[in-house]
Amino acid sequence: MAEATRILLDESRIPHNWYNIVADLPVPPPPFLNPATSRPVGPDDLASLFPAELIAQEAGAERYVPIPPGVRDVYRLWRPTPLIRARRLERALGTPARIYYKYEGGSPSGSHKPNTAVAQAYYNAREGVGRLVTETGAGQWGSALAFACAQYDLECEVWMVRASYDQKPGRRSLMRLYGATVHASPSAATASGAAVLAGDPGSPGSLGIAISEAVEAAAADPGARYALGSVLNHVLLHQTVIGEEAIEQMAAFGETPDMIVGCAGGGSNFAGLVFPFLREKLAGRMSPVIRAVEPEACPSLTRGTYAYDFGDAAGLTPLMKMHTLGHGFVPDPIHAGGLRYHGMSPLLSHLYELGMFDAVAKGQRECFAAGRRFAGTEGIVPAPEPTHALAEVISEALRCRETGEEKVLLTALCGHGHFDLSAYDGHLSGEMEDFPLPQERIDAALAALPAP
Amino acid sequence: MAEATRILLDESRIPHNWYNIVADLPVPPPPFLNPATSRPVGPDDLASLFPAELIAQEAGAERYVPIPPGVRDVYRLWRPTPLIRARRLERALGTPARIYYKYEGGSPSGSHKPNTAVAQAYYNAREGVGRLVTETGAGQWGSALAFACAQYDLECEVWMVRASYDQKPGRRSLMRLYGATVHASPSAATASGAAVLAGDPGSPGSLGIAISEAVEAAAADPGARYALGSVLNHVLLHQTVIGEEAIEQMAAFGETPDMIVGCAGGGSNFAGLVFPFLREKLAGRMSPVIRAVEPEACPSLTRGTYAYDFGDAAGLTPLMKMHTLGHGFVPDPIHAGGLRYHGMSPLLSHLYELGMFDAVAKGQRECFAAGRRFAGTEGIVPAPEPTHALAEVISEALRCRETGEEKVLLTALCGHGHFDLSAYDGHLSGEMEDFPLPQERIDAALAALPAP
């Protein structure tokens, strides 16, 4: 298949297991803590939020978790996803590097998010939950969960950050088309939301506020549970289908990656791609450089601190040890809404501390230029989030042009940009801003970290 | 593969030939006429609009036209497209029918249009054309051509119907991202546009006006040519890759279709799916019922007349014998912009006269309900155009539930609806209108047909 451009796999090749990297770590990740007691969180602490199976997965240490047939049956609608060699981009760059991308944008909602949304909806439905509650920023996660709930006849209720609710009506409509109820956040429907509105009736909201509202709404209804689209261990676990398929597809190309690059916000896309490759690397079967790319405006890995912090703005979640800019940190309004989160997945943060991957931060102008270059050659318009990874891949490919190295570069194109075209307008008109982040803003947010 | 849900083909299975159904017809289609002379149009009459190879294809009678390697190389970015069995829709309908759909929405611009856009851009570039000019309604065709032009370093200039230009900024941005220049039509840049603006400065435009502007602009520049996204023989020819792949994929499923259903506006999606199957039917290898579905608001096949008419509003094109509502007919504002054309492909109209397929018309409320049902089960949100075919497929599947027939139904899902979600809002709110078409409006438009 040396001449191939796309490797497609038959649906029989959908992985049968998710991969849990915790089983292969030299040091286990630090536990979540109950903020009231400072003691490790147990299953009972989470029972009002998640179904038992997901709580078990969150704390699990088994290397492989079987994917239930009822989940694989829905995955078949779009999985396995293609692995594509970006031959036309390579040619345009004049690079001897070979560039591969795993494309997740062909899913029903257009991103990688349904990989975990389907699993979460499945387990909730199986345990008799009637309603799933969540938050969403720009709407990638909310629309994935709404799709998944429609597959298992679950009600779905979404708190969508007000700024996106007003500016991104397409994703709002998509959630409703799948049958979900969508609230603008902050809303008067929760105490957390009402408190924000009391102080600022015109508040544009934030992901942290929306999480607080969804957690509160789920906890208040015994028939409902909460669902999170990134950050947590079980979410990263479900995304490993990306990397497992990519390993088989790279082998079909006859290639071993020298560098694997992914964008990282909460971390689920990055982890989904790289965890299976990290297993191979730990076992000595390959030795790729592994790199996360985050936005300059929200650099939790490269400029945050590694400390216990809350996952939401109001402090309703357990404390998680993670790279964080502080739970009160509000990122500047970059277009990559999926990367605007103050923290990084605790599991990924732990791996970062162990030196298992490195990270760089990029300004959005470079990223959108990379996205435009990609669209003009490969055709697919990338969502703003994966343009961060593409910018790094292009940099590396251009370095290879200088050195003559025939490096094998692999990235995940985790979503298409057909919902994000207005963001490209700013790039095309030359009016897009970078948001360099002054150290004082980070220091101020970190000063409000909960006491250790 | 009896248990399969999706049949994917390796890129080596991209067809090597387009299929020209004219070679297999008992009666050749009537020629296009020069309106000034009433004589058949010759290659010279079209030389200012199209490159020589496309003019040859337009009049060609060879059964197979080889697809150049330079076209197949770009097709590899997304072709072959999947053929999917709609198992979850079948289950929701409780039907014994088996429903299959060929999905074209995974292309770079999200529809089937790049199949011909790439071919047209390739031949123009090979013949030294520097600039392609076209019109677009909602933007499906314009964005496909912009993508294709980017692949062959051609300039691309698009006249986009003003109403869509204002209401569908996403597709406008997509064209610009691919490097195209986009004008709102009517524009002051052409005499046709200026004349309309002089009479009505706030004109929302129409496809017929936009065609006039693009044709005028192409004819005025010796380095430019015009490109059309439907209607013409060479456009339908290029779309036959859809049906050729589908024949191989249906065989892999072990199935022979009993009914094939497609939506028809200008006719390129419908022809692309059904022509190869019609070849098989003419050869006696299968005997499917073949059905076109058109909108009640623009029923050229079911309520138009079969006569010579212009392809555009201003009368700049050759006269084509086709099913038409009259070139002055302006359809009501249904959401399926791609089906709002006063005529039907002359070649398809000829086949319809020969009795090779039948046709029905649907109101958009039924179609959007079908689209919502499809999205809720299969996940993919259909563009408004293919919801017309889905509505008929669902009707037939429900008839099968009554009769117990295990019919095999095949349709083409020619585009995703991620650009069209605001249209679904009207459906969800119950405010969507049907537009039944009074006979007087058809009679009035037909009264203005050019004299025979």
Side-chain angles (χ1 to χ4, degrees):
Chain A
M1 300 297 286
E3 290 307 305
T5 293
R6 292 197 302 168
I7 297 290
L8 307 172
L9 300 176
D10 191 76
E11 63 200 64
S12 68
R13 308 305 305 156
I14 295 172
H16 287 266
N17 294 287
W18 292 301
Y19 169 58
N20 180 8
I21 199 169
V22 172
D24 288 324
L25 296 180
V27 187
F32 296 177
L33 300 181
N34 182 324
T37 64
S38 294
R39 300 178 67 91
V41 160
D44 289 351
D45 294 310
L46 299 172
S48 69
L49 292 181
F50 301 110
E53 178 61 30
L54 292 178
I55 293 172
Q57 289 179 6
E58 187 62 27
E62 289 294 314
R63 182 170 285 110
Y64 291 106
V65 177
I67 304 178
V71 171
R72 292 181 84 245
D73 189 52
V74 179
Y75 278 175
R76 294 200 292 178
L77 293 174
W78 77 98
R79 300 209 73 82
T81 60
L83 184 75
I84 305 175
R85 179 163 169 198
R87 292 182 182 275
R88 305 181 80 84
L89 175 63
E90 292 170 16
R91 219 174 300 159
L93 297 173
T95 181
R98 299 193 290 282
I99 302 172
Y100 295 87
Y101 62 99
K102 178 75 169 160
Y103 182 48
E104 293 289 311
S107 81
S109 65
S111 81
H112 68 297
K113 293 288 184 186
N115 296 330
T116 183
V118 168
Q120 292 188 46
Y122 170 83
Y123 288 117
N124 275 283
R126 211 186 52 174
E127 296 187 24
V129 173
R131 188 165 70 104
L132 271 181
V133 181
T134 197
E135 74 290 327
T136 198
Q140 294 265 19
W141 167 243
S143 55
L145 192 69
F147 153 70
C149 286
Q151 298 301 317
Y152 300 104
D153 286 328
L154 282 169
E155 287 178 49
C156 182
E157 193 164 4
V158 183
W159 270 264
M160 184 177 191
V161 174
R162 162 65 75 181
S164 296
Y165 184 92
D166 292 336
Q167 289 161 18
K168 306 223 167 181
R171 287 225 172 255
R172 185 182 73 200
S173 302
L174 182 56
M175 290 183 260
R176 288 183 173 148
L177 181 62
Y178 285 134
T181 303
V182 186
H183 307 274
S185 169
S187 75
T190 69
S192 317
V196 175
L197 288 174
D200 177 7
S203 166
S206 75
L207 205 51
I209 296 168
I211 295 177
S212 299
E213 293 202 76
V215 166
E216 182 188 326
D221 175 357
R225 293 292 181 278
Y226 172 68
L228 192 66
S230 191
V231 177
L232 296 178
N233 298 355
H234 67 272
V235 180
L236 276 53
L237 175 79
H238 302 150
Q239 292 292 354
T240 57
V241 290
I242 302 172
E244 294 289 13
E245 290 175 7
I247 285 175
E248 179 169 347
Q249 290 165 309
M250 287 300 281
F253 271 116
E255 295 277 35
T256 308
D258 295 307
M259 179 180 279
I260 305 176
V261 181
C263 64
S268 77
N269 159 67
F270 179 73
L273 175 66
V274 309
F275 280 2
F277 285 96
L278 276 169
R279 175 191 63 215
E280 301 302 301
K281 187 175 180 178
L282 287 167
R285 288 188 285 266
M286 55 176 73
S287 51
V289 169
I290 295 181
R291 182 164 297 163
V293 187
E294 55 185 12
E296 203 176 73
C298 195
S300 56
L301 283 170
T302 53
R303 295 177 68 194
T305 194
Y306 185 54
Y308 272 102
D309 195 6
F310 292 106
D312 70 320
L316 301 182
T317 71
L319 288 168
M320 301 179 284
K321 194 161 187 189
M322 60 182 176
H323 280 264
T324 180
L325 296 159
H327 63 279
F329 179 78
V330 179
D332 285 322
I334 55 170
H335 292 288
L339 305 184
R340 291 181 70 241
Y341 184 64
H342 67 274
M344 177 56 62
S345 145
L347 182 53
L348 274 175
S349 298
H350 178 62
L351 266 61
Y352 189 63
E353 287 298 304
L354 293 175
M356 293 175 69
F357 66 93
D358 61 31
V360 296
K362 299 265 183 198
Q364 69 176 354
R365 296 203 297 179
E366 177 187 354
C367 298
F368 273 85
R372 182 189 191 178
R373 195 155 200 177
F374 189 88
T377 50
E378 295 296 307
I380 297 168
V381 179
E385 293 81 3
T387 65
H388 288 72
L390 290 173
E392 179 64 10
V393 165
I394 288 174
S395 291
E396 185 67 20
L398 292 175
R399 277 192 287 272
C400 289
R401 186 174 67 184
E402 300 308 313
T403 62
E405 288 173 283
E406 297 185 9
K407 278 195 183 173
V408 176
L409 312 178
L410 170 65
T411 189
L413 189 56
C414 57
H416 72 61
H418 287 175
F419 287 107
D420 307 286
L421 285 158
S422 65
Y424 278 96
D425 284 343
H427 166 71
L428 291 171
S429 67
E431 286 161 11
M432 182 167 280
E433 287 180 76
D434 278 336
F435 293 99
L437 179 58
Q439 187 59 39
E440 307 84 77
R441 278 181 57 198
I442 300 178
D443 294 342
L446 290 180
L449 279 186
Chain B
M1 299 296 285
E3 290 307 305
T5 293
R6 293 197 300 167
I7 297 289
L8 307 173
L9 300 176
D10 192 76
E11 63 200 65
S12 68
R13 308 305 306 158
I14 295 171
H16 287 266
N17 295 286
W18 292 301
Y19 168 59
N20 180 8
I21 199 169
V22 172
D24 289 324
L25 296 180
V27 187
F32 296 177
L33 301 181
N34 182 323
T37 64
S38 293
R39 300 178 66 89
V41 160
D44 290 350
D45 294 311
L46 300 173
S48 70
L49 292 181
F50 301 111
E53 178 62 28
L54 293 177
I55 294 171
Q57 289 180 6
E58 188 62 26
E62 290 293 314
R63 182 170 285 111
Y64 291 105
V65 177
I67 304 179
V71 171
R72 292 181 85 245
D73 189 51
V74 179
Y75 278 175
R76 292 199 294 178
L77 292 175
W78 77 98
R79 301 209 73 83
T81 61
L83 184 76
I84 305 175
R85 179 164 169 196
R87 292 180 182 276
R88 305 181 80 83
L89 175 62
E90 292 169 16
R91 218 174 300 159
L93 297 173
T95 180
R98 299 193 290 283
I99 301 172
Y100 294 87
Y101 61 100
K102 178 75 168 159
Y103 182 48
E104 293 288 311
S107 80
S109 65
S111 82
H112 67 296
K113 294 286 184 187
N115 295 330
T116 183
V118 168
Q120 293 188 46
Y122 170 84
Y123 289 117
N124 275 283
R126 211 186 51 173
E127 297 186 25
V129 172
R131 189 164 71 103
L132 271 181
V133 181
T134 198
E135 73 292 327
T136 198
Q140 295 265 20
W141 167 242
S143 54
L145 192 68
F147 153 69
C149 286
Q151 298 300 317
Y152 300 103
D153 286 327
L154 283 168
E155 286 179 50
C156 183
E157 193 165 4
V158 184
W159 270 265
M160 184 177 191
V161 174
R162 163 65 76 180
S164 296
Y165 184 93
D166 291 336
Q167 289 161 17
K168 305 223 167 179
R171 288 227 172 251
R172 185 182 74 199
S173 302
L174 182 56
M175 291 183 259
R176 289 183 171 146
L177 181 62
Y178 286 134
T181 302
V182 186
H183 308 274
S185 168
S187 75
T190 68
S192 318
V196 175
L197 288 175
D200 177 8
S203 166
S206 76
L207 205 51
I209 296 168
I211 295 177
S212 300
E213 293 203 77
V215 167
E216 181 188 328
D221 174 357
R225 292 292 181 278
Y226 171 68
L228 192 66
S230 192
V231 178
L232 296 178
N233 298 355
H234 68 272
V235 179
L236 276 52
L237 174 79
H238 301 151
Q239 292 293 354
T240 57
V241 290
I242 301 173
E244 293 290 13
E245 290 174 7
I247 285 175
E248 179 169 346
Q249 290 165 310
M250 287 299 281
F253 271 116
E255 295 276 35
T256 307
D258 295 307
M259 177 179 281
I260 305 176
V261 181
C263 63
S268 76
N269 159 68
F270 179 72
L273 175 66
V274 310
F275 281 2
F277 285 97
L278 276 169
R279 176 190 62 215
E280 301 302 301
K281 187 175 179 178
L282 288 167
R285 288 188 285 267
M286 55 176 73
S287 51
V289 169
I290 295 181
R291 183 163 297 163
V293 188
E294 56 184 14
E296 203 175 73
C298 194
S300 56
L301 283 170
T302 53
R303 294 177 68 194
T305 194
Y306 185 54
Y308 272 102
D309 195 6
F310 292 107
D312 70 321
L316 302 182
T317 70
L319 287 169
M320 301 179 283
K321 193 161 187 188
M322 60 182 177
H323 280 265
T324 180
L325 296 160
H327 63 279
F329 179 77
V330 179
D332 285 321
I334 55 169
H335 292 287
L339 306 182
R340 292 181 69 241
Y341 184 64
H342 67 274
M344 176 56 62
S345 146
L347 182 53
L348 273 176
S349 297
H350 179 61
L351 267 61
Y352 189 64
E353 288 298 305
L354 293 175
M356 293 175 70
F357 66 92
D358 61 31
V360 297
K362 299 266 183 197
Q364 69 176 354
R365 296 204 296 180
E366 177 187 353
C367 298
F368 273 86
R372 181 188 192 179
R373 195 155 200 178
F374 189 88
T377 49
E378 295 295 306
I380 297 168
V381 179
E385 292 81 2
T387 65
H388 288 71
L390 290 172
E392 179 64 11
V393 166
I394 287 173
S395 291
E396 184 67 21
L398 293 174
R399 277 193 287 273
C400 289
R401 186 175 68 184
E402 300 308 313
T403 63
E405 287 172 284
E406 296 185 9
K407 278 196 184 175
V408 176
L409 311 178
L410 170 65
T411 188
L413 189 58
C414 57
H416 73 60
H418 286 176
F419 288 106
D420 307 286
L421 285 159
S422 64
Y424 278 96
D425 284 343
H427 165 72
L428 291 172
S429 67
E431 286 159 12
M432 181 168 279
E433 285 180 77
D434 278 337
F435 293 98
L437 179 59
Q439 187 59 37
E440 307 85 77
R441 279 181 57 199
I442 300 178
D443 294 342
L446 290 179
L449 279 186

